[in-house]
Amino acid sequence: MKIFDLKDKREFLHEVMELELLEWSDEVINKEERISKKIDKYNKFVNENNFCKLILVDANELIGFISLFPFDGDEEKDLTPWYATMYVKKEYRGKGYS
């Protein structure tokens, strides 16, 4: 089991964005279009300071991920870096991966 920066394991990019969309969106309409927009946004910020997505991988299987953002929205720029998301796939939950 290893932790990687997503930018070094881009083969997991679509899966991470899909899991984010399914977990934190109320409605999933135009799924692939929305995933594509999330990927574009990721690509825009991937090299910014205080931005990263770390993924946990075991035997080439994504277990989960966390996201760090430069700040929590425009109204809270002093909160930096911002621990924005944590996700563990359902089949791995309750096993201490978080």
Side-chain angles (χ1 to χ4, degrees):
M1 193 164 319
K2 292 187 178 183
I3 296 171
F4 299 96
D5 192 317
L6 182 58
K7 70 181 177 184
D8 298 325
K9 287 291 205 178
R10 293 186 65 85
E11 63 266 30
F12 293 101
L13 183 57
H14 187 278
E15 183 178 7
V16 167
M17 297 306 157
E18 182 177 21
L19 290 170
E20 279 186 4
L21 179 67
L22 296 174
E23 184 72 15
W24 290 293
S25 294
D26 294 332
E27 261 183 81
V28 181
I29 300 171
N30 302 320
K31 180 179 160 187
E32 286 304 317
E33 180 181 331
R34 291 181 67 191
I35 290 170
S36 180
K37 286 180 182 180
K38 289 178 75 54
I39 289 171
D40 289 345
K41 186 176 181 181
Y42 170 82
N43 287 330
K44 179 180 175 184
F45 291 106
V46 69
N47 292 314
E48 294 287 322
N49 288 335
N50 296 325
F51 176 87
C52 75
K53 286 189 181 285
L54 301 177
I55 59 173
L56 179 62
V57 176
D58 187 30
N60 212 32
E61 172 73 20
L62 179 70
I63 306 296
F65 58 88
I66 65 166
S67 302
L68 298 172
F69 294 167
F71 50 86
D72 181 29
D74 289 333
E75 58 280 342
E76 297 292 344
K77 289 187 177 186
D78 60 322
L79 300 175
T80 187
W82 183 257
Y83 178 69
T85 60
M86 181 184 70
Y87 181 87
V88 176
K89 287 182 172 178
K90 289 180 182 176
E91 61 267 31
Y92 298 103
R93 293 179 187 169
K95 299 179 181 181
Y97 292 117
S98 64

